[in-house]
Amino acid sequence: MPEDLLLAIRKFALKNAFDYGKCDPKAIVGKVIGEFPESRKNFADLMAKITNAAVQVNSMPKEEIEKELSTFHFEEKKPEERKLPDLKGAENGKVVMRMAPNPNGPMHIGHCRMAVLNDEYTKRYSGTLILRFDDTDPKNENKIPMKEAYAWMPEDMRWLGVNFHRIERASARLQVYYDYCKKALEGGFAFVCTCKQEGWSESVRHEKKECPCKKNSPEKNLELWNKMLSWELKQGEAVVRVKTDVNEKNPAVVDWPAFRIIDAPEHPMVGKEFKVWPMLDFASAIDDFEFKVTHILRGKDLLVSQERQKILYKYFGWTYPNVTLYGKFLTTDDMVISKSKINAGIREGRFSGFDDPQLSTMKALRRRGILPQAIRNYMLNIGISESETTVDLNILYAENKKLLETSTEHYFFVENPIVLKVRGLQVKNLEIPKHPTNKELGSRRVHFDDEFLISGKDAGEIRLEEVIRLKELANVKIYKQENGKLFGEYAGNDLIKTSKKLHWVSAKFGEQVNSSILFVEKLTETGPLEKVEHKGVCEKACSELKQGQVVQFERMGFCVLDSKDGMKFILSC
Ligand SMILES: [Zn+2]
C-alpha cells in the first residue's frame, strides 16, 4: 500500500517538524519502519521518500504544519506477535540442540540468527543447548581459530541472553573422531585414498571413474590409516574418504573426504600435536550422534553436509536428527567482522580494537548501546524462513530505538555552542523532567543567569525579530547579533506552537560539561562506516551518568556514554 506508506511518512515528517522546528529524516525513519515493516526492504527508496517529505514539510509555514498535523491520528501500534513454527517431533524436556560456530574471530551480527533461534527453541521445549566450537581447520588462514574467541563467544552469547548448557570443543575430541574413523575403515564404508588429489574430483565425480583405492581391504586401509597417524604419509599423500556410490546425484557427495593430513597445523588449543584432522562434515556428524542432538537448525547452504552425513549415519545405523533449514544470513562488505580485517585496521590505526564502534562485532554493538533485546527482536522478525536475508543495521537501530524510547533519560547537548544572552527572564533555575512522559525517570534542576548556549547551527538559522523557544524554559525574541553572540528578550512563557524549539545549556559557570558525540556513519553511498566526532557541551547533570548508560540527546539521537573522561558519547541509533 504505497499511498499509505507515503501518508505515514508525511505524518511523521509533520510531527517531527512541529516538535523540533525542522524535520530530520533520520529521526523519523525508525517510526516509519515501525508502521510499515515491509518498507525497509528497499531502504534506499524509503530514505529518498522520507528526505523528499522532509524537504516539503520544511518549506511549509508552521501554521500550516499544525493544521495538517491535526488531521492525523497517532495511535500506539500493538507489537506484532513473533512466533516461530514448532519443531517437528519436539518433545518437551527432550530436545537437544547445538550451535557450532568456528571461533576464528569475534562473534558478530552474522552469528546472531543462529544463536537466537537455537536459544528460542531450546527455551520453548525446556531443552538442552550445546555450544560446540567447530575448530578443526588449522590450515586455512581464514578459518584458523583465534584463541581469544573461545572466551569471547560464550561471553557475547550470554550477553545476548543465549542460555547454553555446556561447551564442547571439537579440537579436544580428535581421538573420538579417530576411533570412529577406525570403525568406518574396519566396516569397509570408508577408505584411505592415496591418489594424487589434483584431478581426482574431475576423474571420479564427473567422469565417474572409480577411485582405485576404493578396492583396498579393511586391513590395507587400517595400515594406511596408521601411516597417516604416524605421519609416515605427509600432507597431500593420503585422505580418508567415506565410500559412496559413484553415481550419487550430487557429485559433491561422492566419496566425500573425512580426514586429511596437515603438515604444519597452527592451532591455538592443540598446537602442532595433531597432524591428522577431520573435515567439518565428519566431526560434526559424530558429535551430533554422541551428544544425542535431536534437532538441528541449519543454513540452507549446508545442504551438502547433510547429504554427506546421512550416508555416514546409515552406515553406522544411526537416526539422523530433525533438520530445519533456514536461508542464508548475509553480512555486507561494508561490515567489518573478520579477524584479519580487524587486525589490519588496528595496525593501520583505523580501529581502536575489536570493539571499535565502526565494526559489527558483538563487542562493538554492545559498546554502542545496542540492547541485546533489540538484536533478538530483529532476529525473531526475520524468523526461520528459507529465504535469504541480508543484515540491515538500520533495522536493528530501529528496533533499538523502540526499546529505548520510553525508558531513556533526555538531556540537552549543544554542538558548537554560541552564546545567547536573554534579558527580562524572571527565573534563575528550572526543574526539567528527564522524560516527557515517563515520570519515573525523575527530573534535574538547571541553574542559569542570563546567558545560554545554543548550537551554532541553530544560531545560524535564526533571523532577527524571530521568536524562538528555549525548550522547557521561555520564548525569546531575538533582537541583535554582535561579536558572534545573539541577544534576545523574554517574550512570554506560553507555548507558541509555531516557534523553533531550541535545545540549550546554561552558560553559567559549572553548569555545563564539554563533551562529544561520535557518529558512525556512511559518508558516501557505498563507502565503509566512518567516524565523525561532534563536539559541544551537555548539561552538568550528565556528569552523573554511568559509563555505558544510554541517554537521548533529542536532536542527535540515543547516545551511550563511552568514556567519562572527556564525556565522550557514541551515537547508538
Ligand atoms: Zn584414491
Side-chain angles (χ1 to χ4, degrees):
M1 294 184 289
E3 282 112 58
D4 288 351
L5 172 66
L6 289 177
L7 221 53
I9 292 173
R10 179 86 179 176
K11 172 175 85 169
F12 288 121
L14 288 164
K15 176 94 166 78
N16 193 245
F18 179 73
D19 287 348
Y20 300 109
K22 205 173 171 192
C23 169
D24 174 4
K26 279 187 198 151
I28 65 169
V29 59
K31 292 189 165 77
V32 176
I33 290 176
E35 283 208 2
F36 287 87
E38 290 291 301
S39 67
R40 64 193 171 203
K41 284 194 179 150
N42 193 344
F43 195 76
D45 181 56
L46 176 66
M47 271 321 284
K49 287 191 170 98
I50 290 175
T51 307
N52 192 24
V55 170
Q56 283 178 18
V57 164
N58 288 338
S59 71
M60 287 163 64
K62 279 152 198 162
E63 297 76 14
E64 223 171 276
I65 292 178
E66 190 180 6
K67 203 172 149 204
E68 190 179 332
L69 194 57
S70 66
T71 65
F72 287 102
H73 289 284
F74 285 88
E75 276 172 45
E76 275 297 309
K77 218 187 157 206
K78 278 186 194 155
E80 14 176 342
E81 178 90 6
R82 300 184 178 94
K83 180 88 175 147
L84 297 171
D86 282 332
L87 289 178
K88 222 164 72 187
E91 275 183 73
N92 206 38
K94 291 184 181 168
V95 167
V96 180
M97 299 180 78
R98 49 69 167 178
M99 43 193 179
N102 180 356
N104 60 338
M107 183 170 170
H108 56 74
I109 186 76
H111 293 113
C112 291
R113 189 179 188 194
M114 166 266 299
V116 169
L117 291 177
N118 275 290
D119 182 55
E120 287 285 325
Y121 275 122
T122 42
K123 280 175 181 161
R124 177 183 297 181
Y125 296 110
S126 310
T128 303
L129 180 57
I130 299 165
L131 169 56
R132 173 182 177 274
F133 287 121
D134 204 337
D135 60 343
T136 54
D137 194 343
K139 184 186 169 207
N140 182 329
E141 197 192 337
N142 293 325
K143 292 187 174 174
I144 292 178
M146 175 186 189
K147 187 149 198 185
E148 297 89 335
Y150 289 89
W152 289 352
M153 280 191 165
E155 182 190 308
D156 290 340
M157 296 232 186
R158 288 205 175 93
W159 173 76
L160 193 56
V162 172
N163 185 22
F164 52 88
H165 300 83
R166 66 176 212 258
I167 298 179
E168 296 283 354
R169 175 163 65 80
S171 62
R173 296 173 49 76
L174 294 183
Q175 193 55 55
V176 175
Y177 310 134
Y178 291 172
D179 292 347
Y180 279 101
C181 180
K182 200 172 160 213
K183 278 184 203 170
L185 294 169
E186 284 167 349
F189 50 91
F191 62 99
V192 178
C193 169
T194 49
C195 294
K196 215 174 147 201
Q197 297 307 302
E198 210 186 293
W200 182 93
S201 192
E202 185 55 35
S203 140
V204 176
R205 289 179 172 166
H206 299 283
E207 292 163 21
K208 307 290 177 196
K209 290 181 191 155
E210 291 278 8
C211 163
C213 317
K214 233 169 159 176
K215 292 197 199 108
N216 289 347
S217 65
E219 292 72 30
K220 174 78 178 166
N221 277 324
L222 285 174
E223 189 194 317
L224 289 168
W225 169 242
N226 286 329
K227 281 186 178 170
M228 284 176 75
L229 291 177
S230 64
W231 207 38
E232 267 176 70
L233 289 166
K234 302 278 190 272
Q235 183 172 318
E237 291 177 354
V239 293
V240 175
R241 296 184 176 280
V242 172
K243 210 180 268 183
T244 73
D245 189 329
V246 78
N247 294 313
E248 279 283 346
K249 222 200 260 163
N250 183 349
V253 169
V254 174
D255 297 341
W256 58 273
F259 284 86
R260 60 178 171 163
I261 303 165
I262 296 172
D263 284 349
E266 277 178 52
H267 200 287
M269 305 309 268
V270 295
K272 299 179 191 307
E273 194 185 338
F274 297 92
K275 298 194 195 287
V276 175
W277 284 86
M279 305 301 283
L280 181 151
D281 291 337
F282 188 88
S284 151
I286 298 300
D287 282 350
D288 285 342
F289 169 73
E290 285 241 319
F291 301 157
K292 301 183 170 58
V293 169
T294 60
H295 292 78
I296 297 174
L297 307 182
R298 170 171 285 148
K300 220 173 150 186
D301 51 319
L302 294 178
L303 212 54
V304 178
S305 296
Q306 181 166 321
E307 284 182 59
R308 290 174 167 184
Q309 292 179 344
K310 279 189 171 168
I311 294 168
L312 191 67
Y313 267 59
K314 208 169 157 194
Y315 282 135
F316 278 120
W318 302 337
T319 310
Y320 202 73
N322 263 297
V323 177
T324 307
L325 294 174
Y326 60 86
K328 264 193 190 175
F329 191 47
L330 304 165
T331 49
T332 52
D333 289 344
D334 55 3
M335 285 176 199
V336 184
I337 47 179
S338 83
K339 167 185 60 180
S340 51
K341 277 191 189 172
I342 298 173
N343 276 329
I346 292 173
R347 274 197 305 275
E348 291 158 17
R350 278 181 296 124
F351 307 137
S352 56
F354 280 81
D355 64 350
D356 187 288
Q358 280 162 282
L359 308 178
S360 295
T361 60
M362 301 304 283
K363 289 187 184 312
L365 294 172
R366 174 164 44 181
R367 182 174 167 196
R368 283 189 57 181
I370 303 297
L371 302 175
Q373 192 59 46
I375 299 176
R376 294 185 76 101
N377 290 352
Y378 176 27
M379 299 305 151
L380 290 173
N381 276 340
I382 297 171
I384 195 153
S385 78
E386 284 194 38
S387 52
E388 198 174 277
T389 315
T390 304
V391 176
D392 186 337
L393 291 176
N394 288 303
I395 302 172
L396 176 62
Y397 301 157
E399 288 289 345
N400 208 45
K401 272 186 196 155
K402 270 193 243 167
L403 295 170
L404 289 169
E405 220 130 59
T406 52
S407 59
T408 306
E409 296 173 3
H410 290 220
Y411 292 99
F412 292 158
F413 172 91
V414 167
E415 190 179 359
N416 300 328
I418 297 283
V419 173
L420 166 62
K421 194 176 170 84
V422 181
R423 68 184 180 202
L425 265 183
Q426 301 300 310
V427 288
K428 293 284 178 200
N429 65 72
L430 190 65
E431 182 100 14
I432 308 176
K434 288 184 183 171
H435 191 278
T437 53
N438 183 353
K439 299 292 170 237
E440 276 172 29
L441 295 177
S443 60
R444 78 275 193 189
R445 185 162 288 278
V446 181
H447 297 266
F448 42 82
D449 291 322
D450 58 354
E451 290 195 335
F452 299 87
L453 300 170
I454 62 171
S455 91
K457 188 162 175 280
D458 284 343
E461 289 168 2
I462 294 174
R463 288 167 282 118
L464 286 182
E465 302 301 309
E466 186 175 356
V467 176
I468 56 100
R469 181 169 181 80
L470 291 178
K471 200 162 183 271
E472 310 282 351
L473 177 60
N475 304 324
V476 174
K477 184 170 182 179
I478 306 298
Y479 67 88
K480 189 167 78 172
Q481 185 173 17
E482 205 175 77
N483 300 330
K485 262 191 191 183
L486 287 172
F487 294 81
E489 187 168 31
Y490 175 67
N493 240 334
D494 296 341
L495 214 56
I496 306 174
K497 296 200 166 174
T498 53
S499 65
K500 270 185 198 142
K501 282 184 198 167
L502 301 191
H503 284 204
W504 53 272
V505 171
S506 167
K508 187 174 177 168
F509 180 75
E511 282 290 320
Q512 72 293 128
V513 194
N514 284 332
S515 86
S516 67
I517 304 176
L518 190 71
F519 277 53
V520 177
E521 56 192 345
K522 276 190 176 186
L523 300 181
T524 57
E525 189 76 19
T526 52
L529 292 171
E530 292 188 53
K531 292 184 271 201
V532 184
E533 195 179 34
H534 296 252
K535 287 187 175 169
V537 291
C538 60
E539 304 173 45
K540 181 186 74 176
C542 293
S543 55
E544 277 156 41
L545 298 172
K546 292 186 207 75
Q547 195 207 337
Q549 190 172 342
V550 179
V551 298
Q552 186 172 6
F553 290 129
E554 280 172 28
R555 290 315 309 258
M556 312 300 279
F558 292 96
C559 299
V560 62
L561 181 57
D562 187 50
S563 163
K564 292 205 72 158
D565 184 20
M567 290 301 282
K568 291 183 188 301
F569 291 86
I570 302 175
L571 181 79
S572 296
C573 54

